[in-house]
Amino acid sequence: MLGCSQRALRDGVAARLPPRGVGLVERASGGGAVLSGPWMVSVSVALPPDHVWATNGLEGYRQLGRLHAAVLSGLGVATMSVPPEGVERGNQRWGGCGRWACFGSLAPWELTDGEGRKVVGLAQRRQGHGVLLVAGTLCHAPDWPLLCDALGFPGDASWLQRVTVACDALADRAFSAATLVEQLRRALASELWTPRRSSFPM
C-alpha cells in the first residue's frame, strides 16, 4: 500500500512484474509504503472536523498514539510515544535508508520500544467534512524482503528489520493480535462514543 505522494514509485512498480501474491494499492493519506497482511492490525477512525481529536494536524496523532500505548501496556507491551521535538533525533539515530517505507522513519506521536524501534505507525487524511486517522501496529514481524523486492529496494530489508520490532517480540506474555483488536475496539468505543439523549420523555 503506497502513500498518495508516492506515484513515481507506483509507476516504477507497475513497469515491473511484482512478486506473486503482491497487490499494489494507493491510499488517500500520505506517508510511506506499508506491507499489509496478517502481521499487522490496522485501525481507521473517522471524525467530524469539530471533534477535539481533529483540532489540528497533530492532536489526532497524539490521542490515537496515547490510546494505543495504553492498550498495548495492558497486553504486556511497553512502548514510548515520540514527541514532535524527538522525531528528527529518532530518525537520525538510524540513518536515512528506507525512508520510502512507512516503518522506515518516525512521525510525531508514533510508538517505539525503548531502543527507538518503531512499533505503531500513524497517518491521517484531512478534508473539509472530516478527518480520517489511521494506525498500524506490527503484531508479528512482516516479510520485509517481500516489500523491498516488490518496490525495488532489495538492499533495505535488513535495515527495516533493525529499525522495527513487533509486539510478540516485546510482550512479557503470549501476545494475540485478536486480543489487541478487541481491546482497541473497546478503548475506542469508550473514548469516542457518546450515547445520544432520547428526545422522548421517560
Side-chain angles (χ1 to χ4, degrees):
M1 184 181 299
L2 300 180
C4 62
S5 63
Q6 294 185 302
R7 290 188 176 88
L9 187 56
R10 175 201 63 191
D11 294 342
V13 174
R16 303 190 304 271
L17 182 65
R20 183 181 298 274
V22 175
L24 185 64
V25 176
E26 183 180 318
R27 65 182 184 272
S29 62
V34 176
L35 183 64
S36 298
W39 45 81
M40 177 180 289
V41 166
S42 296
V43 168
S44 296
V45 180
L47 300 171
D50 59 348
H51 192 278
V52 64
W53 283 23
T55 54
N56 62 61
L58 292 183
E59 183 61 15
Y61 279 177
R62 187 178 75 85
Q63 296 290 355
L64 193 56
R66 172 189 57 78
L67 184 142
H68 274 72
V71 169
L72 288 172
S73 177
L75 298 177
V77 180
T79 60
M80 303 171 58
S81 293
V82 181
E85 63 271 18
V87 170
E88 183 176 358
R89 182 172 64 254
N91 284 328
Q92 289 176 346
R93 180 176 186 175
W94 299 108
C97 183
R99 294 290 179 85
W100 53 271
C102 170
F103 281 86
S105 62
L106 296 172
W109 305 117
E110 292 184 323
L111 302 184
T112 70
D113 71 345
E115 299 179 21
R117 296 177 297 178
K118 190 166 174 176
V119 183
V120 178
L122 303 171
Q124 67 177 307
R125 171 76 169 175
R126 302 181 68 87
Q127 292 185 314
H129 58 271
V131 176
L132 178 68
L133 299 174
V134 180
T137 301
L138 297 180
C139 295
H140 311 289
D143 189 345
W144 292 127
L146 177 63
L147 176 67
C148 294
D149 289 346
L151 297 185
F153 300 96
D156 287 353
S158 61
W159 185 84
L160 283 169
Q161 289 169 342
R162 291 197 304 273
V163 304
T164 60
V165 64
C167 292
D168 61 353
L170 294 175
D172 62 7
R173 68 200 74 161
F175 185 83
S176 165
T179 302
L180 174 62
V181 169
E182 182 58 31
Q183 292 300 317
L184 285 172
R185 182 182 292 117
R186 291 181 180 180
L188 285 165
S190 176
E191 188 89 19
L192 299 176
W193 183 72
T194 302
R196 295 186 177 183
R197 295 182 179 180
S198 174
S199 58
F200 298 97
M202 301 297 289

